[in-house]
Amino acid sequence: MKLLKWLNRYVEELFLVTILCSIVIVMLYQIVRRYIFNASLSWSEEFCRYAFIWFIFLALPYSIRLGSELRMDAVISALPSKANRTLKLVLTAASLLFTAFLFFQSVTAVQESVIAGEISTGLHLPKQYIYLSMPVGFGLAVIRYIQVILPQVTHREKEA
């Protein structure tokens, strides 16, 4: 149970820090090789680009967990308390539905990539590993939105 709580709290952070550190290390290594040894790497820019793509899609569920995703707080906070809670619930549910839609669309994109058999040029990596960042990120975002909605719904039921 403690492992699940720890994963719930730190899973995105762990991956985000690891990805960001790997981008920095690879880029520094590339700079040293290029400007000191005059020998560039053929794969470093592609690695950093794909790592950044993974970073972006894993930052989505992290921002949802922190409650820092984009929204119109000024409009929501100007409403009365009950309307405020209702609008937050509706907006979160709409975000959940949209993210679930994106999750299913991204699964299709990964399947099509597997069928096409695309390979990246620098790393010679099957592209489905890059495309896999979409369903992982959107899937975790769906879970995070559910975690946000459940307390709102149970709180609303207590008030009724």
Side-chain angles (χ1 to χ4, degrees), residues 87-112:
L87 185 58
K88 281 183 180 177
L89 181 62
V90 168
L91 292 175
T92 306
S95 297
L96 169 65
L97 292 173
F98 182 66
T99 307
F101 170 77
L102 291 174
F103 170 77
F104 288 113
Q105 293 300 313
S106 63
V107 168
T108 303
V110 172
Q111 291 170 340
E112 290 173 0

PDB file of all heavy atoms in Angstrom, residues 87-112:
ATOM      1  N   LEU A  87     -19.240  24.332 -11.522  1.00  0.00           N
ATOM      2  CA  LEU A  87     -18.506  24.619 -12.752  1.00  0.00           C
ATOM      3  C   LEU A  87     -17.169  23.895 -12.779  1.00  0.00           C
ATOM      4  O   LEU A  87     -16.777  23.359 -13.816  1.00  0.00           O
ATOM      5  CB  LEU A  87     -18.298  26.129 -12.908  1.00  0.00           C
ATOM      6  CG  LEU A  87     -17.643  26.566 -14.219  1.00  0.00           C
ATOM      7  CD1 LEU A  87     -18.455  26.109 -15.427  1.00  0.00           C
ATOM      8  CD2 LEU A  87     -17.449  28.070 -14.243  1.00  0.00           C
ATOM      9  N   LYS A  88     -16.489  23.843 -11.643  1.00  0.00           N
ATOM     10  CA  LYS A  88     -15.224  23.098 -11.577  1.00  0.00           C
ATOM     11  C   LYS A  88     -15.440  21.627 -11.906  1.00  0.00           C
ATOM     12  O   LYS A  88     -14.654  21.016 -12.641  1.00  0.00           O
ATOM     13  CB  LYS A  88     -14.579  23.233 -10.206  1.00  0.00           C
ATOM     14  CG  LYS A  88     -13.845  24.517  -9.993  1.00  0.00           C
ATOM     15  CD  LYS A  88     -13.173  24.525  -8.627  1.00  0.00           C
ATOM     16  CE  LYS A  88     -12.434  25.817  -8.394  1.00  0.00           C
ATOM     17  NZ  LYS A  88     -11.822  25.888  -7.066  1.00  0.00           N
ATOM     18  N   LEU A  89     -16.507  21.058 -11.372  1.00  0.00           N
ATOM     19  CA  LEU A  89     -16.815  19.657 -11.649  1.00  0.00           C
ATOM     20  C   LEU A  89     -17.124  19.439 -13.123  1.00  0.00           C
ATOM     21  O   LEU A  89     -16.620  18.497 -13.735  1.00  0.00           O
ATOM     22  CB  LEU A  89     -17.985  19.184 -10.779  1.00  0.00           C
ATOM     23  CG  LEU A  89     -18.397  17.722 -10.944  1.00  0.00           C
ATOM     24  CD1 LEU A  89     -17.257  16.793 -10.561  1.00  0.00           C
ATOM     25  CD2 LEU A  89     -19.626  17.429 -10.112  1.00  0.00           C
ATOM     26  N   VAL A  90     -17.923  20.311 -13.708  1.00  0.00           N
ATOM     27  CA  VAL A  90     -18.282  20.191 -15.132  1.00  0.00           C
ATOM     28  C   VAL A  90     -17.039  20.332 -16.010  1.00  0.00           C
ATOM     29  O   VAL A  90     -16.836  19.558 -16.952  1.00  0.00           O
ATOM     30  CB  VAL A  90     -19.366  21.232 -15.510  1.00  0.00           C
ATOM     31  CG1 VAL A  90     -19.546  21.335 -17.008  1.00  0.00           C
ATOM     32  CG2 VAL A  90     -20.681  20.891 -14.836  1.00  0.00           C
ATOM     33  N   LEU A  91     -16.199  21.310 -15.701  1.00  0.00           N
ATOM     34  CA  LEU A  91     -14.990  21.522 -16.496  1.00  0.00           C
ATOM     35  C   LEU A  91     -14.009  20.357 -16.358  1.00  0.00           C
ATOM     36  O   LEU A  91     -13.382  19.947 -17.331  1.00  0.00           O
ATOM     37  CB  LEU A  91     -14.320  22.840 -16.104  1.00  0.00           C
ATOM     38  CG  LEU A  91     -15.086  24.106 -16.466  1.00  0.00           C
ATOM     39  CD1 LEU A  91     -14.384  25.334 -15.914  1.00  0.00           C
ATOM     40  CD2 LEU A  91     -15.276  24.216 -17.968  1.00  0.00           C
ATOM     41  N   THR A  92     -13.882  19.825 -15.171  1.00  0.00           N
ATOM     42  CA  THR A  92     -13.005  18.676 -14.958  1.00  0.00           C
ATOM     43  C   THR A  92     -13.542  17.451 -15.685  1.00  0.00           C
ATOM     44  O   THR A  92     -12.777  16.700 -16.297  1.00  0.00           O
ATOM     45  CB  THR A  92     -12.834  18.389 -13.460  1.00  0.00           C
ATOM     46  OG1 THR A  92     -12.393  19.576 -12.804  1.00  0.00           O
ATOM     47  CG2 THR A  92     -11.829  17.283 -13.216  1.00  0.00           C
ATOM     48  N   ALA A  93     -14.865  17.251 -15.651  1.00  0.00           N
ATOM     49  CA  ALA A  93     -15.471  16.127 -16.379  1.00  0.00           C
ATOM     50  C   ALA A  93     -15.276  16.289 -17.886  1.00  0.00           C
ATOM     51  O   ALA A  93     -14.972  15.315 -18.580  1.00  0.00           O
ATOM     52  CB  ALA A  93     -16.953  16.018 -16.033  1.00  0.00           C
ATOM     53  N   ALA A  94     -15.410  17.512 -18.388  1.00  0.00           N
ATOM     54  CA  ALA A  94     -15.187  17.758 -19.819  1.00  0.00           C
ATOM     55  C   ALA A  94     -13.726  17.493 -20.180  1.00  0.00           C
ATOM     56  O   ALA A  94     -13.437  16.897 -21.230  1.00  0.00           O
ATOM     57  CB  ALA A  94     -15.586  19.186 -20.176  1.00  0.00           C
ATOM     58  N   SER A  95     -12.821  17.892 -19.314  1.00  0.00           N
ATOM     59  CA  SER A  95     -11.396  17.636 -19.544  1.00  0.00           C
ATOM     60  C   SER A  95     -11.113  16.135 -19.527  1.00  0.00           C
ATOM     61  O   SER A  95     -10.328  15.632 -20.329  1.00  0.00           O
ATOM     62  CB  SER A  95     -10.553  18.338 -18.483  1.00  0.00           C
ATOM     63  OG  SER A  95     -10.710  19.721 -18.563  1.00  0.00           O
ATOM     64  N   LEU A  96     -11.755  15.432 -18.611  1.00  0.00           N
ATOM     65  CA  LEU A  96     -11.608  13.974 -18.543  1.00  0.00           C
ATOM     66  C   LEU A  96     -12.079  13.331 -19.842  1.00  0.00           C
ATOM     67  O   LEU A  96     -11.381  12.477 -20.411  1.00  0.00           O
ATOM     68  CB  LEU A  96     -12.388  13.415 -17.359  1.00  0.00           C
ATOM     69  CG  LEU A  96     -12.534  11.886 -17.306  1.00  0.00           C
ATOM     70  CD1 LEU A  96     -11.184  11.217 -17.113  1.00  0.00           C
ATOM     71  CD2 LEU A  96     -13.489  11.493 -16.201  1.00  0.00           C
ATOM     72  N   LEU A  97     -13.246  13.727 -20.328  1.00  0.00           N
ATOM     73  CA  LEU A  97     -13.772  13.150 -21.573  1.00  0.00           C
ATOM     74  C   LEU A  97     -12.863  13.452 -22.757  1.00  0.00           C
ATOM     75  O   LEU A  97     -12.594  12.573 -23.590  1.00  0.00           O
ATOM     76  CB  LEU A  97     -15.191  13.657 -21.838  1.00  0.00           C
ATOM     77  CG  LEU A  97     -16.253  13.165 -20.866  1.00  0.00           C
ATOM     78  CD1 LEU A  97     -17.576  13.864 -21.136  1.00  0.00           C
ATOM     79  CD2 LEU A  97     -16.405  11.653 -20.949  1.00  0.00           C
ATOM     80  N   PHE A  98     -12.380  14.682 -22.845  1.00  0.00           N
ATOM     81  CA  PHE A  98     -11.496  15.052 -23.949  1.00  0.00           C
ATOM     82  C   PHE A  98     -10.184  14.279 -23.872  1.00  0.00           C
ATOM     83  O   PHE A  98      -9.687  13.781 -24.889  1.00  0.00           O
ATOM     84  CB  PHE A  98     -11.240  16.564 -23.931  1.00  0.00           C
ATOM     85  CG  PHE A  98     -10.384  17.030 -25.064  1.00  0.00           C
ATOM     86  CD1 PHE A  98     -10.840  16.956 -26.374  1.00  0.00           C
ATOM     87  CD2 PHE A  98      -9.118  17.545 -24.826  1.00  0.00           C
ATOM     88  CE1 PHE A  98     -10.047  17.378 -27.432  1.00  0.00           C
ATOM     89  CE2 PHE A  98      -8.322  17.974 -25.876  1.00  0.00           C
ATOM     90  CZ  PHE A  98      -8.782  17.894 -27.182  1.00  0.00           C
ATOM     91  N   THR A  99      -9.633  14.141 -22.677  1.00  0.00           N
ATOM     92  CA  THR A  99      -8.384  13.403 -22.506  1.00  0.00           C
ATOM     93  C   THR A  99      -8.583  11.921 -22.815  1.00  0.00           C
ATOM     94  O   THR A  99      -7.704  11.290 -23.416  1.00  0.00           O
ATOM     95  CB  THR A  99      -7.842  13.597 -21.080  1.00  0.00           C
ATOM     96  OG1 THR A  99      -7.762  14.994 -20.809  1.00  0.00           O
ATOM     97  CG2 THR A  99      -6.485  12.978 -20.914  1.00  0.00           C
ATOM     98  N   ALA A 100      -9.721  11.360 -22.434  1.00  0.00           N
ATOM     99  CA  ALA A 100     -10.022   9.954 -22.773  1.00  0.00           C
ATOM    100  C   ALA A 100     -10.122   9.786 -24.282  1.00  0.00           C
ATOM    101  O   ALA A 100      -9.613   8.801 -24.839  1.00  0.00           O
ATOM    102  CB  ALA A 100     -11.310   9.517 -22.089  1.00  0.00           C
ATOM    103  N   PHE A 101     -10.747  10.747 -24.956  1.00  0.00           N
ATOM    104  CA  PHE A 101     -10.822  10.712 -26.422  1.00  0.00           C
ATOM    105  C   PHE A 101      -9.417  10.733 -27.027  1.00  0.00           C
ATOM    106  O   PHE A 101      -9.103   9.946 -27.926  1.00  0.00           O
ATOM    107  CB  PHE A 101     -11.650  11.895 -26.931  1.00  0.00           C
ATOM    108  CG  PHE A 101     -11.591  12.078 -28.409  1.00  0.00           C
ATOM    109  CD1 PHE A 101     -12.320  11.251 -29.249  1.00  0.00           C
ATOM    110  CD2 PHE A 101     -10.805  13.072 -28.967  1.00  0.00           C
ATOM    111  CE1 PHE A 101     -12.264  11.410 -30.624  1.00  0.00           C
ATOM    112  CE2 PHE A 101     -10.734  13.244 -30.332  1.00  0.00           C
ATOM    113  CZ  PHE A 101     -11.470  12.405 -31.177  1.00  0.00           C
ATOM    114  N   LEU A 102      -8.562  11.620 -26.520  1.00  0.00           N
ATOM    115  CA  LEU A 102      -7.184  11.699 -27.022  1.00  0.00           C
ATOM    116  C   LEU A 102      -6.417  10.413 -26.733  1.00  0.00           C
ATOM    117  O   LEU A 102      -5.589   9.977 -27.541  1.00  0.00           O
ATOM    118  CB  LEU A 102      -6.470  12.902 -26.413  1.00  0.00           C
ATOM    119  CG  LEU A 102      -6.968  14.267 -26.869  1.00  0.00           C
ATOM    120  CD1 LEU A 102      -6.276  15.377 -26.078  1.00  0.00           C
ATOM    121  CD2 LEU A 102      -6.758  14.461 -28.357  1.00  0.00           C
ATOM    122  N   PHE A 103      -6.696   9.790 -25.587  1.00  0.00           N
ATOM    123  CA  PHE A 103      -6.048   8.519 -25.264  1.00  0.00           C
ATOM    124  C   PHE A 103      -6.379   7.464 -26.316  1.00  0.00           C
ATOM    125  O   PHE A 103      -5.480   6.805 -26.849  1.00  0.00           O
ATOM    126  CB  PHE A 103      -6.480   8.038 -23.873  1.00  0.00           C
ATOM    127  CG  PHE A 103      -6.054   6.633 -23.572  1.00  0.00           C
ATOM    128  CD1 PHE A 103      -4.739   6.353 -23.230  1.00  0.00           C
ATOM    129  CD2 PHE A 103      -6.956   5.587 -23.642  1.00  0.00           C
ATOM    130  CE1 PHE A 103      -4.336   5.055 -22.966  1.00  0.00           C
ATOM    131  CE2 PHE A 103      -6.567   4.289 -23.373  1.00  0.00           C
ATOM    132  CZ  PHE A 103      -5.244   4.018 -23.033  1.00  0.00           C
ATOM    133  N   PHE A 104      -7.658   7.320 -26.642  1.00  0.00           N
ATOM    134  CA  PHE A 104      -8.050   6.299 -27.617  1.00  0.00           C
ATOM    135  C   PHE A 104      -7.513   6.622 -29.010  1.00  0.00           C
ATOM    136  O   PHE A 104      -7.109   5.720 -29.756  1.00  0.00           O
ATOM    137  CB  PHE A 104      -9.563   6.108 -27.629  1.00  0.00           C
ATOM    138  CG  PHE A 104     -10.068   5.416 -26.395  1.00  0.00           C
ATOM    139  CD1 PHE A 104     -10.862   6.095 -25.482  1.00  0.00           C
ATOM    140  CD2 PHE A 104      -9.720   4.106 -26.116  1.00  0.00           C
ATOM    141  CE1 PHE A 104     -11.312   5.472 -24.329  1.00  0.00           C
ATOM    142  CE2 PHE A 104     -10.159   3.465 -24.962  1.00  0.00           C
ATOM    143  CZ  PHE A 104     -10.962   4.159 -24.072  1.00  0.00           C
ATOM    144  N   GLN A 105      -7.477   7.888 -29.377  1.00  0.00           N
ATOM    145  CA  GLN A 105      -6.916   8.279 -30.668  1.00  0.00           C
ATOM    146  C   GLN A 105      -5.410   7.995 -30.715  1.00  0.00           C
ATOM    147  O   GLN A 105      -4.882   7.578 -31.743  1.00  0.00           O
ATOM    148  CB  GLN A 105      -7.187   9.759 -30.951  1.00  0.00           C
ATOM    149  CG  GLN A 105      -8.639  10.090 -31.157  1.00  0.00           C
ATOM    150  CD  GLN A 105      -9.239   9.340 -32.340  1.00  0.00           C
ATOM    151  OE1 GLN A 105      -8.661   9.291 -33.414  1.00  0.00           O
ATOM    152  NE2 GLN A 105     -10.384   8.723 -32.116  1.00  0.00           N
ATOM    153  N   SER A 106      -4.729   8.212 -29.606  1.00  0.00           N
ATOM    154  CA  SER A 106      -3.283   7.982 -29.576  1.00  0.00           C
ATOM    155  C   SER A 106      -2.944   6.497 -29.618  1.00  0.00           C
ATOM    156  O   SER A 106      -1.921   6.110 -30.189  1.00  0.00           O
ATOM    157  CB  SER A 106      -2.654   8.640 -28.349  1.00  0.00           C
ATOM    158  OG  SER A 106      -3.139   8.070 -27.154  1.00  0.00           O
ATOM    159  N   VAL A 107      -3.809   5.664 -29.057  1.00  0.00           N
ATOM    160  CA  VAL A 107      -3.601   4.213 -29.161  1.00  0.00           C
ATOM    161  C   VAL A 107      -3.654   3.801 -30.631  1.00  0.00           C
ATOM    162  O   VAL A 107      -2.827   3.008 -31.105  1.00  0.00           O
ATOM    163  CB  VAL A 107      -4.635   3.435 -28.319  1.00  0.00           C
ATOM    164  CG1 VAL A 107      -4.623   1.952 -28.643  1.00  0.00           C
ATOM    165  CG2 VAL A 107      -4.386   3.665 -26.836  1.00  0.00           C
ATOM    166  N   THR A 108      -4.587   4.379 -31.373  1.00  0.00           N
ATOM    167  CA  THR A 108      -4.694   4.104 -32.806  1.00  0.00           C
ATOM    168  C   THR A 108      -3.431   4.560 -33.529  1.00  0.00           C
ATOM    169  O   THR A 108      -2.933   3.854 -34.420  1.00  0.00           O
ATOM    170  CB  THR A 108      -5.932   4.812 -33.396  1.00  0.00           C
ATOM    171  OG1 THR A 108      -7.083   4.385 -32.685  1.00  0.00           O
ATOM    172  CG2 THR A 108      -6.092   4.512 -34.867  1.00  0.00           C
ATOM    173  N   ALA A 109      -2.892   5.712 -33.152  1.00  0.00           N
ATOM    174  CA  ALA A 109      -1.666   6.211 -33.781  1.00  0.00           C
ATOM    175  C   ALA A 109      -0.493   5.266 -33.538  1.00  0.00           C
ATOM    176  O   ALA A 109       0.317   5.019 -34.449  1.00  0.00           O
ATOM    177  CB  ALA A 109      -1.343   7.611 -33.271  1.00  0.00           C
ATOM    178  N   VAL A 110      -0.396   4.721 -32.335  1.00  0.00           N
ATOM    179  CA  VAL A 110       0.669   3.772 -32.025  1.00  0.00           C
ATOM    180  C   VAL A 110       0.491   2.493 -32.850  1.00  0.00           C
ATOM    181  O   VAL A 110       1.458   1.965 -33.406  1.00  0.00           O
ATOM    182  CB  VAL A 110       0.724   3.452 -30.518  1.00  0.00           C
ATOM    183  CG1 VAL A 110       1.701   2.321 -30.229  1.00  0.00           C
ATOM    184  CG2 VAL A 110       1.080   4.687 -29.721  1.00  0.00           C
ATOM    185  N   GLN A 111      -0.745   2.007 -32.942  1.00  0.00           N
ATOM    186  CA  GLN A 111      -1.006   0.810 -33.742  1.00  0.00           C
ATOM    187  C   GLN A 111      -0.627   1.018 -35.203  1.00  0.00           C
ATOM    188  O   GLN A 111      -0.031   0.135 -35.826  1.00  0.00           O
ATOM    189  CB  GLN A 111      -2.485   0.414 -33.628  1.00  0.00           C
ATOM    190  CG  GLN A 111      -2.862  -0.107 -32.264  1.00  0.00           C
ATOM    191  CD  GLN A 111      -4.379  -0.268 -32.093  1.00  0.00           C
ATOM    192  OE1 GLN A 111      -5.160   0.322 -32.813  1.00  0.00           O
ATOM    193  NE2 GLN A 111      -4.764  -1.070 -31.104  1.00  0.00           N
ATOM    194  N   GLU A 112      -0.957   2.180 -35.745  1.00  0.00           N
ATOM    195  CA  GLU A 112      -0.605   2.477 -37.135  1.00  0.00           C
ATOM    196  C   GLU A 112       0.903   2.568 -37.316  1.00  0.00           C
ATOM    197  O   GLU A 112       1.438   2.163 -38.346  1.00  0.00           O
ATOM    198  CB  GLU A 112      -1.290   3.764 -37.589  1.00  0.00           C
ATOM    199  CG  GLU A 112      -2.789   3.602 -37.751  1.00  0.00           C
ATOM    200  CD  GLU A 112      -3.496   4.915 -38.030  1.00  0.00           C
ATOM    201  OE1 GLU A 112      -2.829   5.969 -38.104  1.00  0.00           O
ATOM    202  OE2 GLU A 112      -4.737   4.877 -38.155  1.00  0.00           O
TER     203      GLU A 112
END
